[in-house]
Amino acid sequence: MSKVIQTTIQCIQCRQPVRASVQGLIDAAQDPQAKIAMLAGRLNVTPCPNCGAPNTILTPLLFHDGSKELLISYVPMELGMSKDAQEKAMGELMRELTTNLPQGAFKAYMLQPRQALTMQGLVEQVLQSDGVTPEMMEAQRNRVRLVETFIQSSPDQLPDLVKQNDDKIDAGFFQTMTLIIQQLAAEGREGAVEQIIEIQNRIVELSTFGKELLEENRLQEEIVAAVASDVNALGQGATREDFRKLAVKYAEDDQRLQALVGLIRPVFDYTFFQDFSTYIAQAPAEERDKLTDVREQLLELTAMIDQQSQIALQEAAGFLRVLLSSPDPDALIAENLPAIDYTFMQVLSANVQEAQRRGDLNASAKLKDLYNRVVSALQANMPPELRFINELLSAPSNDVARDMIAQRASEFGPPLLDAMGAVEDQLAGQGNPALLERFNFVRQQVTQMFG
Ligand SMILES: [Zn+2]
C-alpha cells in the first residue's frame, strides 16, 4: 500500500476544516483502487462532510505500473514549485516506490520517468498503456459532451434532442451517464444526482435503444411471473423432486432457469444436487446429457446468486457497524431508509440472535433497541397501502386475509393494486414459496375488487 498522509484543510466553499487524505505515489499493482480513483478524477479529492463541496488537493504524483514498465511523474503547474523543489519531491516519491519494490525489481526504465504536463495528459498515458486508443478516448469525450448537453437541456427540449441523437444513444451512452451519476454521488451532490436520474429515465422512455431495453425488462418480468406461478402451482408441500421436474421442464431455457433459482434459491441445496445426481445415474442413457446440462446450469446459477448476496450481506453488515457506533442512529436511519432492505433486516436479526446466544446482554440490548428504531422508522415511512399489504401477508390464514380485504380494501381503492406490484418485486428475490403463495392469493382477491 502506498503512503497516505492525513491532513486538515479548509473547505473551498464553506471554510469549515476538512480531514483529507493525500497520496503521491500510485502503484497500479499494489494499489489498484488508487489507479481507478485517479482515472475517475477522484484521487486526492475529499467531499466536505459539511457542505459536500469536492476539495481537491494538488500534489506531485508518481504513477507506476511495473507490468507495463510505465513510470510517469506529474507536478501540477499550479503549485509553482521551483525545479529544485520538484526534483526533491519526485526523489522522495521514487524512494517510497523503490523501498516497496521486491528484490531485483528495479529496472532501467525507472531511472527516467516520463513526464506529464497536465492531469489529463497523465490519465491519457495510463489509459493508452491499458489499450485505450486515442479514438476510443475521443469517442468517450463525445459521449460525455452529449450527456452534458442532455443534462443542461430543459425538460421540453428533451424529446427533440433525443430524436436528433437517437443513433448515438446506446449502451455506452447510458454507461457514461451512470458513471457521471456515480461520480456526483461520491461527491455528495444528491440534488444533481436525482435530477440526472430523472433525465436518464426520460431518455430511456424516448429513445429507440431505451425502448428496446424496456421491452427486454418487460419480457423478463413476464418470465419471472410465469415461473412464480409454476412454483406456486406446486403448492406448499412441494418436494425436491417436484422442483427438479420443473427445472428439467425448463431445460435449455436459460431465462426460466435463472428466474427459478432467483425465486427459490434455498431449494437448491446440497441434498437437491445429490438427489439429482442419483436420478441422472438411473435415467435412460439418452436423457443423461440433457439432465447433466440442467444440473450444471443450476449449480452455476446458485453460485452466481450466492456471490451477489455475499456482496449485499457485506454492505448490510458494514452499515450495521456504522449504525452501532453512531451517536444519533435515528438520523442515520432516516437518511438511509433506501439501504434498509430485506438483506439488512436479516443481518440485523441474525446479529440479535448471535448476541443472545453468546449471552452478551449489553450487545443484544443495543441491537434490539436498534431493531425497534429501524422498524418504527420503516413503519412511519410506509404508505398505508403497503402497511395493509404487510398485515395481509402476516395474517394467520387465507380466510382471515380474505375477511380483512372485504372489510378494509375499499379504504385504499385501486392504489392498493399498484402497491402490490412493488411488493411482488421485493418478494421475488426472497425465495419464500409460502409467502409468494399468500401474496398471489391476496392479489387475486384484490384484483377481483378493483382489477
Ligand atoms: Zn464545505
Side-chain angles (χ1 to χ4, degrees), residues 1 27 38 82 85 133 159 173 178-179 225 229 242 255 269 272 311 320 326 362 387 397 407 416 445 448:
M1 238 348 138
D27 193 316
M38 185 186 86
S82 69
T133 63
F173 172 85
T178 303
L179 271 177
S229 101
D242 296 326
Q255 288 184 301
D269 57 4
F272 175 89
I311 294 170
L320 179 57
S326 164
N362 190 18
R387 228 177 296 167
S397 71
Q407 281 165 20
L416 188 56
Q445 300 289 317
Q448 277 173 14

Side-chain angles (χ1 to χ4, degrees), residues 10-18 47-55:
Q10 199 179 35
C11 173
I12 43 161
Q13 188 165 291
C14 71
R15 303 277 148 206
Q16 293 293 311
V18 176
C48 169
N50 186 44
C51 74
N55 286 276

Side-chain angles (χ1 to χ4, degrees), residues 295-306:
R295 186 178 179 278
E296 293 290 305
Q297 253 187 307
L298 289 175
L299 274 171
E300 266 173 45
L301 288 166
T302 49
M304 200 173 79
I305 285 187
D306 290 352

